[in-house]
Amino acid sequence: MSHFAIVLAAGASTRMGTCKTSLPWGEGKTLLTYQLEQWLSVGFTPVVVLGSHNSEKQKVCPEGSLTVINPHANTGKTTSLLTGLQRIPPNFEILAISAVDQPRKIEIYQRLLLAHQDNSAMITAPTYQSKMGHPLLFSNGMRSHLQNIREESLGLRQIIKEFYPVIHQVKFDNPAVLLDINTPEIYQEQLHNWGWY
């Protein structure tokens, strides 16, 4: 496998009030398992970064996914990204970065993957009405840059800023690419939108 997806799931879910990885999402699934199955179905190996507080979620991750624990998750998202990178083989072709609270339908992943490959892009990002969303796709040439990110220099945002002119932007006519499920209100609203009730 040469396609990998880091799924950041080590956050404390403070605003949600409960661990996001356990939130029901779809029939018999959780937000975590739904995401991992979506990535697996488009040929990516998901690498889930969990924190010490939810490390038991390793048991529910579907076959084909990898897990890693970030004991320093409370110091910022950048440490989780760097922890996930350590599990990615040096010769990867494409690396996607997403978060457990950013569920996407498979069509979004397929379209981004195709655009990334067709354009031999360094970075590919979905956009909606000129706003950049997630997930982001990176080529192998970006690995050294990703390994050098630091929390104090804005982490991933620094890379986006630095490489903005070369990011291949894929325009979507659906705000789904901007979705972050951060609060109980957004969660309830999205359950309705996705027809999970």
Side-chain angles (χ1 to χ4, degrees):
M1 291 301 296
S2 59
H3 298 172
F4 292 83
I6 293 176
V7 180
L8 301 169
S13 307
T14 314
R15 282 184 284 172
M16 185 61 69
T18 186
C19 186
K20 291 178 189 175
T21 56
S22 306
L23 290 172
W25 193 261
E27 202 171 321
K29 295 181 176 50
T30 61
L31 210 44
L32 178 62
T33 56
Y34 172 84
Q35 297 257 56
L36 301 186
E37 286 174 11
Q38 295 294 90
W39 280 118
L40 286 163
S41 64
V42 286
F44 277 70
T45 299
V47 177
V48 191
V49 184
L50 296 162
S52 305
H53 66 287
N54 62 1
S55 59
E56 79 285 352
K57 295 297 172 193
Q58 291 179 92
K59 298 173 193 162
V60 302
C61 293
E63 192 177 339
S65 52
L66 306 172
T67 57
V68 59
I69 307 300
N70 175 17
H72 310 294
N74 60 345
T75 60
K77 202 178 276 188
T78 302
T79 60
S80 289
L81 193 45
L82 292 169
T83 301
L85 265 175
Q86 289 169 8
R87 288 297 307 267
I88 309 292
N91 60 344
F92 76 84
E93 187 187 339
I94 300 172
L95 173 64
I97 295 175
S98 68
V100 74
D101 59 2
Q102 297 166 343
R104 304 289 185 259
K105 289 184 176 168
I106 193 170
E107 296 80 15
I108 291 176
Y109 295 153
Q110 287 170 329
R111 196 172 154 206
L112 288 171
L113 175 59
L114 202 59
H116 188 79
Q117 292 172 319
D118 286 351
N119 291 277
S120 302
M122 293 287 282
I123 306 172
T124 298
T127 64
Y128 173 72
Q129 294 183 353
S130 301
K131 289 182 182 172
M132 199 172 286
H134 296 280
L136 299 173
L137 270 56
F138 295 88
S139 71
N140 189 281
M142 291 301 299
R143 182 175 186 128
S144 60
H145 299 284
L146 289 167
Q147 284 173 326
N148 286 325
I149 62 170
R150 296 294 175 264
E151 194 70 35
E152 53 273 18
S153 55
L154 299 177
L156 203 53
R157 285 182 199 167
Q158 182 59 39
I159 285 188
I160 300 307
K161 190 176 166 186
E162 196 176 328
F163 288 90
Y164 192 84
V166 299
I167 296 174
H168 179 66
Q169 299 186 25
V170 183
K171 291 180 182 176
F172 284 80
D173 56 8
N174 187 324
V177 296
L178 305 180
L179 175 63
D180 281 298
I181 298 178
N182 286 322
T183 65
E185 293 74 25
I186 296 173
Y187 172 60
Q188 294 298 331
E189 178 191 0
Q190 293 302 320
L191 283 178
H192 280 291
N193 289 352
W194 287 55
W196 293 143
Y197 270 121

